[in-house]
Amino acid sequence: MSDSTESTKERTDKLKKEFDDLFAFNPAYVYGEQTVNKIVKSRRSMDNELFIDLLLRSLAIQRASTVYPPKSNHDLRDLHRQILKSPSQTHQKQSVLYYLLKDVNLPNKHTSPPAPPYAKSVYLSQKYRIFIDGIWLMDRGKFKEALDYLTEPILIPTFPEKIIYTLCTHREPGDNDLALAYYHTVKPAIDSYEVLEALFSTIAAGGVAGSLLWSRRHPKQIRQKLFERLITEVLDAPEGEERATRSMELIYQPFDKDEESWFEEYLTKEKGRSIPRAKDALRVRAIATGHGDAFDQGNGIRGDNGAGMEWSGSSFEHGLMTPPR
């Protein structure tokens, strides 16, 4: 037997022993079918990318969805092997192993979960445990519980854009608190416009004035795109009293010079002109700013009854024509 073969065998035996030690509670452990299905379903709901996928990629393990969740003991052992062979730092590999142990469901309720003892045995830093606890909960859709960990001051923001985007796109109607709580607590830099747009929509859902003020913090080009998104979200929302109220709130905002120009341009020349209430909004804005007569003359409108306007239901007509108190 050659030295190289012996060396390979030694490495294989070492990996087997390390796995058996890690899963000492059951070296033949297999992810249950229900657990696998839940993880697969969760990945689909999160744009086919879990936080564990990002961790595995950081260890140079590609195609995470094919290795996690492991569907057999052989698959689990192979994933363990790939993690240990990664050129990444030891604490990063230990963090991923800690994540895997958190997946373990032991049938005996009196048996302690294996993850905490493992973390203690390898002296895994508290900040890594807290972070893994948080993203493990995120991957399971337990967002409120996850934020108890991910907003800890001890943490350096990791995957903040993914966290914000997930919280924004999975929020319940009327519930904007989680995404905003994370954003205002962690205060991460956001480079992705897709994430910025999702966050802006969440802010806008909580109030037009607040979202307008927030948009003004950004460079002019970004500001304009966010402002146009606000117009669309408000004016092109489903019919009802909420749309009417928010439309009036937007139209009666004190726009600056740029916003005044963007408002008119977007609703007359850009994509916003296809919004059914675009012309209505322009007219009411003109009236609100003292330019109603000029607008009517420019659009061939006579009298004060708005003839020829495309009103779409009494609630919106009342909302547009009655300034907010």
mmCIF file with all atom_site columns, all heavy atoms in Angstrom, residues 3 92 124 126 139 143 156 208 212 237 248 252 254 258-259 267 299 307 318 323:
data_model
loop_
_atom_site.group_PDB
_atom_site.id
_atom_site.type_symbol
_atom_site.label_atom_id
_atom_site.label_alt_id
_atom_site.label_comp_id
_atom_site.label_asym_id
_atom_site.label_entity_id
_atom_site.label_seq_id
_atom_site.pdbx_PDB_ins_code
_atom_site.Cartn_x
_atom_site.Cartn_y
_atom_site.Cartn_z
_atom_site.occupancy
_atom_site.B_iso_or_equiv
_atom_site.pdbx_formal_charge
_atom_site.auth_seq_id
_atom_site.auth_comp_id
_atom_site.auth_asym_id
_atom_site.auth_atom_id
_atom_site.pdbx_PDB_model_num
ATOM 1   N N   . ASP A 1 3   ? 2.232   5.244  0.301   1.00 0.00 ? 3   ASP A N   1
ATOM 2   C CA  . ASP A 1 3   ? 2.092   6.259  1.337   1.00 0.00 ? 3   ASP A CA  1
ATOM 3   C C   . ASP A 1 3   ? 0.902   7.163  1.072   1.00 0.00 ? 3   ASP A C   1
ATOM 4   O O   . ASP A 1 3   ? 0.192   7.574  1.983   1.00 0.00 ? 3   ASP A O   1
ATOM 5   C CB  . ASP A 1 3   ? 3.373   7.101  1.411   1.00 0.00 ? 3   ASP A CB  1
ATOM 6   C CG  . ASP A 1 3   ? 4.532   6.275  1.958   1.00 0.00 ? 3   ASP A CG  1
ATOM 7   O OD1 . ASP A 1 3   ? 4.247   5.244  2.594   1.00 0.00 ? 3   ASP A OD1 1
ATOM 8   O OD2 . ASP A 1 3   ? 5.688   6.687  1.749   1.00 0.00 ? 3   ASP A OD2 1
ATOM 9   N N   . GLN A 1 92  ? -15.313 30.046 11.404  1.00 0.00 ? 92  GLN A N   1
ATOM 10  C CA  . GLN A 1 92  ? -16.370 30.072 10.396  1.00 0.00 ? 92  GLN A CA  1
ATOM 11  C C   . GLN A 1 92  ? -16.933 28.671 10.162  1.00 0.00 ? 92  GLN A C   1
ATOM 12  O O   . GLN A 1 92  ? -18.148 28.489 10.058  1.00 0.00 ? 92  GLN A O   1
ATOM 13  C CB  . GLN A 1 92  ? -15.828 30.655 9.083   1.00 0.00 ? 92  GLN A CB  1
ATOM 14  C CG  . GLN A 1 92  ? -15.466 32.123 9.175   1.00 0.00 ? 92  GLN A CG  1
ATOM 15  C CD  . GLN A 1 92  ? -14.845 32.628 7.887   1.00 0.00 ? 92  GLN A CD  1
ATOM 16  O OE1 . GLN A 1 92  ? -13.827 32.106 7.420   1.00 0.00 ? 92  GLN A OE1 1
ATOM 17  N NE2 . GLN A 1 92  ? -15.451 33.644 7.309   1.00 0.00 ? 92  GLN A NE2 1
ATOM 18  N N   . LEU A 1 124 ? -16.688 28.460 20.903  1.00 0.00 ? 124 LEU A N   1
ATOM 19  C CA  . LEU A 1 124 ? -17.217 29.341 19.860  1.00 0.00 ? 124 LEU A CA  1
ATOM 20  C C   . LEU A 1 124 ? -17.647 30.663 20.501  1.00 0.00 ? 124 LEU A C   1
ATOM 21  O O   . LEU A 1 124 ? -18.417 30.685 21.462  1.00 0.00 ? 124 LEU A O   1
ATOM 22  C CB  . LEU A 1 124 ? -18.412 28.685 19.164  1.00 0.00 ? 124 LEU A CB  1
ATOM 23  C CG  . LEU A 1 124 ? -18.971 29.408 17.932  1.00 0.00 ? 124 LEU A CG  1
ATOM 24  C CD1 . LEU A 1 124 ? -17.910 29.501 16.831  1.00 0.00 ? 124 LEU A CD1 1
ATOM 25  C CD2 . LEU A 1 124 ? -20.215 28.684 17.407  1.00 0.00 ? 124 LEU A CD2 1
ATOM 26  N N   . GLN A 1 126 ? -19.256 34.106 21.660  1.00 0.00 ? 126 GLN A N   1
ATOM 27  C CA  . GLN A 1 126 ? -20.652 34.451 21.878  1.00 0.00 ? 126 GLN A CA  1
ATOM 28  C C   . GLN A 1 126 ? -21.264 35.159 20.682  1.00 0.00 ? 126 GLN A C   1
ATOM 29  O O   . GLN A 1 126 ? -22.410 34.897 20.311  1.00 0.00 ? 126 GLN A O   1
ATOM 30  C CB  . GLN A 1 126 ? -20.789 35.342 23.116  1.00 0.00 ? 126 GLN A CB  1
ATOM 31  C CG  . GLN A 1 126 ? -22.245 35.716 23.440  1.00 0.00 ? 126 GLN A CG  1
ATOM 32  C CD  . GLN A 1 126 ? -22.340 36.724 24.573  1.00 0.00 ? 126 GLN A CD  1
ATOM 33  O OE1 . GLN A 1 126 ? -21.365 37.405 24.892  1.00 0.00 ? 126 GLN A OE1 1
ATOM 34  N NE2 . GLN A 1 126 ? -23.510 36.831 25.180  1.00 0.00 ? 126 GLN A NE2 1
ATOM 35  N N   . ASP A 1 139 ? -34.158 31.743 8.720   1.00 0.00 ? 139 ASP A N   1
ATOM 36  C CA  . ASP A 1 139 ? -34.381 30.684 7.733   1.00 0.00 ? 139 ASP A CA  1
ATOM 37  C C   . ASP A 1 139 ? -35.654 29.897 8.011   1.00 0.00 ? 139 ASP A C   1
ATOM 38  O O   . ASP A 1 139 ? -36.180 29.225 7.116   1.00 0.00 ? 139 ASP A O   1
ATOM 39  C CB  . ASP A 1 139 ? -33.188 29.731 7.687   1.00 0.00 ? 139 ASP A CB  1
ATOM 40  C CG  . ASP A 1 139 ? -32.026 30.281 6.864   1.00 0.00 ? 139 ASP A CG  1
ATOM 41  O OD1 . ASP A 1 139 ? -32.256 31.222 6.082   1.00 0.00 ? 139 ASP A OD1 1
ATOM 42  O OD2 . ASP A 1 139 ? -30.899 29.767 7.004   1.00 0.00 ? 139 ASP A OD2 1
ATOM 43  N N   . PHE A 1 143 ? -39.177 35.624 12.254  1.00 0.00 ? 143 PHE A N   1
ATOM 44  C CA  . PHE A 1 143 ? -38.458 36.891 12.107  1.00 0.00 ? 143 PHE A CA  1
ATOM 45  C C   . PHE A 1 143 ? -38.394 37.700 13.404  1.00 0.00 ? 143 PHE A C   1
ATOM 46  O O   . PHE A 1 143 ? -37.367 38.303 13.715  1.00 0.00 ? 143 PHE A O   1
ATOM 47  C CB  . PHE A 1 143 ? -39.092 37.712 10.991  1.00 0.00 ? 143 PHE A CB  1
ATOM 48  C CG  . PHE A 1 143 ? -39.140 37.004 9.673   1.00 0.00 ? 143 PHE A CG  1
ATOM 49  C CD1 . PHE A 1 143 ? -40.306 36.972 8.915   1.00 0.00 ? 143 PHE A CD1 1
ATOM 50  C CD2 . PHE A 1 143 ? -38.028 36.340 9.182   1.00 0.00 ? 143 PHE A CD2 1
ATOM 51  C CE1 . PHE A 1 143 ? -40.357 36.306 7.697   1.00 0.00 ? 143 PHE A CE1 1
ATOM 52  C CE2 . PHE A 1 143 ? -38.067 35.666 7.968   1.00 0.00 ? 143 PHE A CE2 1
ATOM 53  C CZ  . PHE A 1 143 ? -39.239 35.660 7.236   1.00 0.00 ? 143 PHE A CZ  1
ATOM 54  N N   . ILE A 1 156 ? -21.335 42.478 14.541  1.00 0.00 ? 156 ILE A N   1
ATOM 55  C CA  . ILE A 1 156 ? -20.982 43.284 13.368  1.00 0.00 ? 156 ILE A CA  1
ATOM 56  C C   . ILE A 1 156 ? -22.002 42.927 12.292  1.00 0.00 ? 156 ILE A C   1
ATOM 57  O O   . ILE A 1 156 ? -22.207 41.742 12.000  1.00 0.00 ? 156 ILE A O   1
ATOM 58  C CB  . ILE A 1 156 ? -19.561 42.944 12.874  1.00 0.00 ? 156 ILE A CB  1
ATOM 59  C CG1 . ILE A 1 156 ? -18.534 43.296 13.949  1.00 0.00 ? 156 ILE A CG1 1
ATOM 60  C CG2 . ILE A 1 156 ? -19.256 43.676 11.569  1.00 0.00 ? 156 ILE A CG2 1
ATOM 61  C CD1 . ILE A 1 156 ? -17.122 42.846 13.617  1.00 0.00 ? 156 ILE A CD1 1
ATOM 62  N N   . VAL A 1 208 ? -46.791 58.673 4.145   1.00 0.00 ? 208 VAL A N   1
ATOM 63  C CA  . VAL A 1 208 ? -46.252 59.362 2.969   1.00 0.00 ? 208 VAL A CA  1
ATOM 64  C C   . VAL A 1 208 ? -45.214 60.400 3.364   1.00 0.00 ? 208 VAL A C   1
ATOM 65  O O   . VAL A 1 208 ? -44.133 60.483 2.769   1.00 0.00 ? 208 VAL A O   1
ATOM 66  C CB  . VAL A 1 208 ? -47.396 60.015 2.167   1.00 0.00 ? 208 VAL A CB  1
ATOM 67  C CG1 . VAL A 1 208 ? -46.842 60.915 1.068   1.00 0.00 ? 208 VAL A CG1 1
ATOM 68  C CG2 . VAL A 1 208 ? -48.314 58.952 1.575   1.00 0.00 ? 208 VAL A CG2 1
ATOM 69  N N   . LEU A 1 212 ? -41.225 60.508 2.256   1.00 0.00 ? 212 LEU A N   1
ATOM 70  C CA  . LEU A 1 212 ? -40.725 61.613 1.435   1.00 0.00 ? 212 LEU A CA  1
ATOM 71  C C   . LEU A 1 212 ? -39.488 62.233 2.084   1.00 0.00 ? 212 LEU A C   1
ATOM 72  O O   . LEU A 1 212 ? -38.485 62.498 1.413   1.00 0.00 ? 212 LEU A O   1
ATOM 73  C CB  . LEU A 1 212 ? -41.824 62.662 1.261   1.00 0.00 ? 212 LEU A CB  1
ATOM 74  C CG  . LEU A 1 212 ? -41.529 63.817 0.303   1.00 0.00 ? 212 LEU A CG  1
ATOM 75  C CD1 . LEU A 1 212 ? -41.262 63.300 -1.103  1.00 0.00 ? 212 LEU A CD1 1
ATOM 76  C CD2 . LEU A 1 212 ? -42.693 64.803 0.286   1.00 0.00 ? 212 LEU A CD2 1
ATOM 77  N N   . ALA A 1 237 ? -52.775 52.421 -6.021  1.00 0.00 ? 237 ALA A N   1
ATOM 78  C CA  . ALA A 1 237 ? -53.161 51.410 -5.032  1.00 0.00 ? 237 ALA A CA  1
ATOM 79  C C   . ALA A 1 237 ? -54.605 50.978 -5.281  1.00 0.00 ? 237 ALA A C   1
ATOM 80  O O   . ALA A 1 237 ? -55.349 51.646 -6.005  1.00 0.00 ? 237 ALA A O   1
ATOM 81  C CB  . ALA A 1 237 ? -53.022 51.990 -3.625  1.00 0.00 ? 237 ALA A CB  1
ATOM 82  N N   . MET A 1 248 ? -54.349 62.187 -1.005  1.00 0.00 ? 248 MET A N   1
ATOM 83  C CA  . MET A 1 248 ? -54.421 63.573 -0.561  1.00 0.00 ? 248 MET A CA  1
ATOM 84  C C   . MET A 1 248 ? -53.188 63.947 0.253   1.00 0.00 ? 248 MET A C   1
ATOM 85  O O   . MET A 1 248 ? -52.669 65.064 0.131   1.00 0.00 ? 248 MET A O   1
ATOM 86  C CB  . MET A 1 248 ? -55.688 63.773 0.275   1.00 0.00 ? 248 MET A CB  1
ATOM 87  C CG  . MET A 1 248 ? -56.975 63.680 -0.544  1.00 0.00 ? 248 MET A CG  1
ATOM 88  S SD  . MET A 1 248 ? -56.990 64.814 -1.958  1.00 0.00 ? 248 MET A SD  1
ATOM 89  C CE  . MET A 1 248 ? -56.895 66.381 -1.125  1.00 0.00 ? 248 MET A CE  1
ATOM 90  N N   . TYR A 1 252 ? -50.783 67.056 -1.118  1.00 0.00 ? 252 TYR A N   1
ATOM 91  C CA  . TYR A 1 252 ? -50.668 68.275 -0.323  1.00 0.00 ? 252 TYR A CA  1
ATOM 92  C C   . TYR A 1 252 ? -49.334 68.392 0.414   1.00 0.00 ? 252 TYR A C   1
ATOM 93  O O   . TYR A 1 252 ? -49.182 69.262 1.258   1.00 0.00 ? 252 TYR A O   1
ATOM 94  C CB  . TYR A 1 252 ? -51.828 68.359 0.677   1.00 0.00 ? 252 TYR A CB  1
ATOM 95  C CG  . TYR A 1 252 ? -53.091 68.897 0.037   1.00 0.00 ? 252 TYR A CG  1
ATOM 96  C CD1 . TYR A 1 252 ? -53.948 68.062 -0.668  1.00 0.00 ? 252 TYR A CD1 1
ATOM 97  C CD2 . TYR A 1 252 ? -53.413 70.254 0.106   1.00 0.00 ? 252 TYR A CD2 1
ATOM 98  C CE1 . TYR A 1 252 ? -55.093 68.544 -1.276  1.00 0.00 ? 252 TYR A CE1 1
ATOM 99  C CE2 . TYR A 1 252 ? -54.554 70.755 -0.492  1.00 0.00 ? 252 TYR A CE2 1
ATOM 100 C CZ  . TYR A 1 252 ? -55.395 69.888 -1.183  1.00 0.00 ? 252 TYR A CZ  1
ATOM 101 O OH  . TYR A 1 252 ? -56.529 70.382 -1.797  1.00 0.00 ? 252 TYR A OH  1
ATOM 102 N N   . PRO A 1 254 ? -45.497 69.562 0.915   1.00 0.00 ? 254 PRO A N   1
ATOM 103 C CA  . PRO A 1 254 ? -44.717 70.713 0.431   1.00 0.00 ? 254 PRO A CA  1
ATOM 104 C C   . PRO A 1 254 ? -43.503 70.239 -0.374  1.00 0.00 ? 254 PRO A C   1
ATOM 105 O O   . PRO A 1 254 ? -42.412 70.078 0.158   1.00 0.00 ? 254 PRO A O   1
ATOM 106 C CB  . PRO A 1 254 ? -44.300 71.408 1.725   1.00 0.00 ? 254 PRO A CB  1
ATOM 107 C CG  . PRO A 1 254 ? -44.237 70.308 2.737   1.00 0.00 ? 254 PRO A CG  1
ATOM 108 C CD  . PRO A 1 254 ? -45.314 69.328 2.362   1.00 0.00 ? 254 PRO A CD  1
ATOM 109 N N   . ASP A 1 258 ? -37.432 70.384 -7.235  1.00 0.00 ? 258 ASP A N   1
ATOM 110 C CA  . ASP A 1 258 ? -37.195 69.156 -7.996  1.00 0.00 ? 258 ASP A CA  1
ATOM 111 C C   . ASP A 1 258 ? -38.413 68.243 -7.954  1.00 0.00 ? 258 ASP A C   1
ATOM 112 O O   . ASP A 1 258 ? -38.840 67.693 -8.972  1.00 0.00 ? 258 ASP A O   1
ATOM 113 C CB  . ASP A 1 258 ? -35.973 68.419 -7.446  1.00 0.00 ? 258 ASP A CB  1
ATOM 114 C CG  . ASP A 1 258 ? -34.667 69.098 -7.814  1.00 0.00 ? 258 ASP A CG  1
ATOM 115 O OD1 . ASP A 1 258 ? -34.612 69.738 -8.886  1.00 0.00 ? 258 ASP A OD1 1
ATOM 116 O OD2 . ASP A 1 258 ? -33.706 68.988 -7.031  1.00 0.00 ? 258 ASP A OD2 1
ATOM 117 N N   . GLU A 1 259 ? -38.971 68.057 -6.761  1.00 0.00 ? 259 GLU A N   1
ATOM 118 C CA  . GLU A 1 259 ? -40.113 67.161 -6.604  1.00 0.00 ? 259 GLU A CA  1
ATOM 119 C C   . GLU A 1 259 ? -41.326 67.663 -7.371  1.00 0.00 ? 259 GLU A C   1
ATOM 120 O O   . GLU A 1 259 ? -42.076 66.869 -7.948  1.00 0.00 ? 259 GLU A O   1
ATOM 121 C CB  . GLU A 1 259 ? -40.451 67.002 -5.114  1.00 0.00 ? 259 GLU A CB  1
ATOM 122 C CG  . GLU A 1 259 ? -39.382 66.228 -4.361  1.00 0.00 ? 259 GLU A CG  1
ATOM 123 C CD  . GLU A 1 259 ? -39.443 66.416 -2.857  1.00 0.00 ? 259 GLU A CD  1
ATOM 124 O OE1 . GLU A 1 259 ? -40.160 67.336 -2.401  1.00 0.00 ? 259 GLU A OE1 1
ATOM 125 O OE2 . GLU A 1 259 ? -38.765 65.662 -2.135  1.00 0.00 ? 259 GLU A OE2 1
ATOM 126 N N   . LEU A 1 267 ? -46.150 62.104 -14.235 1.00 0.00 ? 267 LEU A N   1
ATOM 127 C CA  . LEU A 1 267 ? -47.567 61.854 -14.503 1.00 0.00 ? 267 LEU A CA  1
ATOM 128 C C   . LEU A 1 267 ? -48.020 62.325 -15.884 1.00 0.00 ? 267 LEU A C   1
ATOM 129 O O   . LEU A 1 267 ? -49.164 62.074 -16.278 1.00 0.00 ? 267 LEU A O   1
ATOM 130 C CB  . LEU A 1 267 ? -48.427 62.520 -13.424 1.00 0.00 ? 267 LEU A CB  1
ATOM 131 C CG  . LEU A 1 267 ? -48.298 61.909 -12.018 1.00 0.00 ? 267 LEU A CG  1
ATOM 132 C CD1 . LEU A 1 267 ? -49.128 62.701 -11.012 1.00 0.00 ? 267 LEU A CD1 1
ATOM 133 C CD2 . LEU A 1 267 ? -48.710 60.442 -12.016 1.00 0.00 ? 267 LEU A CD2 1
ATOM 134 N N   . ASN A 1 299 ? -55.451 72.468 -20.156 1.00 0.00 ? 299 ASN A N   1
ATOM 135 C CA  . ASN A 1 299 ? -56.023 71.165 -20.464 1.00 0.00 ? 299 ASN A CA  1
ATOM 136 C C   . ASN A 1 299 ? -57.438 71.245 -20.998 1.00 0.00 ? 299 ASN A C   1
ATOM 137 O O   . ASN A 1 299 ? -58.138 70.232 -21.088 1.00 0.00 ? 299 ASN A O   1
ATOM 138 C CB  . ASN A 1 299 ? -55.994 70.275 -19.203 1.00 0.00 ? 299 ASN A CB  1
ATOM 139 C CG  . ASN A 1 299 ? -54.597 69.832 -18.842 1.00 0.00 ? 299 ASN A CG  1
ATOM 140 O OD1 . ASN A 1 299 ? -54.113 68.826 -19.335 1.00 0.00 ? 299 ASN A OD1 1
ATOM 141 N ND2 . ASN A 1 299 ? -53.925 70.605 -17.981 1.00 0.00 ? 299 ASN A ND2 1
ATOM 142 N N   . ALA A 1 307 ? -65.153 68.612 -15.328 1.00 0.00 ? 307 ALA A N   1
ATOM 143 C CA  . ALA A 1 307 ? -65.674 67.852 -16.464 1.00 0.00 ? 307 ALA A CA  1
ATOM 144 C C   . ALA A 1 307 ? -64.539 67.291 -17.285 1.00 0.00 ? 307 ALA A C   1
ATOM 145 O O   . ALA A 1 307 ? -63.543 67.953 -17.534 1.00 0.00 ? 307 ALA A O   1
ATOM 146 C CB  . ALA A 1 307 ? -66.536 68.767 -17.329 1.00 0.00 ? 307 ALA A CB  1
ATOM 147 N N   . HIS A 1 318 ? -63.939 62.160 -3.398  1.00 0.00 ? 318 HIS A N   1
ATOM 148 C CA  . HIS A 1 318 ? -64.069 62.886 -2.148  1.00 0.00 ? 318 HIS A CA  1
ATOM 149 C C   . HIS A 1 318 ? -62.706 63.093 -1.515  1.00 0.00 ? 318 HIS A C   1
ATOM 150 O O   . HIS A 1 318 ? -62.387 64.173 -1.005  1.00 0.00 ? 318 HIS A O   1
ATOM 151 C CB  . HIS A 1 318 ? -64.969 62.103 -1.192  1.00 0.00 ? 318 HIS A CB  1
ATOM 152 C CG  . HIS A 1 318 ? -65.168 62.782 0.138   1.00 0.00 ? 318 HIS A CG  1
ATOM 153 N ND1 . HIS A 1 318 ? -64.351 62.513 1.206   1.00 0.00 ? 318 HIS A ND1 1
ATOM 154 C CD2 . HIS A 1 318 ? -66.065 63.708 0.532   1.00 0.00 ? 318 HIS A CD2 1
ATOM 155 C CE1 . HIS A 1 318 ? -64.741 63.263 2.248   1.00 0.00 ? 318 HIS A CE1 1
ATOM 156 N NE2 . HIS A 1 318 ? -65.785 63.984 1.858   1.00 0.00 ? 318 HIS A NE2 1
ATOM 157 N N   . PRO A 1 323 ? -59.266 68.592 1.212   1.00 0.00 ? 323 PRO A N   1
ATOM 158 C CA  . PRO A 1 323 ? -57.924 68.603 1.780   1.00 0.00 ? 323 PRO A CA  1
ATOM 159 C C   . PRO A 1 323 ? -57.908 67.941 3.156   1.00 0.00 ? 323 PRO A C   1
ATOM 160 O O   . PRO A 1 323 ? -58.897 67.995 3.897   1.00 0.00 ? 323 PRO A O   1
ATOM 161 C CB  . PRO A 1 323 ? -57.614 70.108 1.922   1.00 0.00 ? 323 PRO A CB  1
ATOM 162 C CG  . PRO A 1 323 ? -58.542 70.772 0.946   1.00 0.00 ? 323 PRO A CG  1
ATOM 163 C CD  . PRO A 1 323 ? -59.772 69.930 0.937   1.00 0.00 ? 323 PRO A CD  1
#
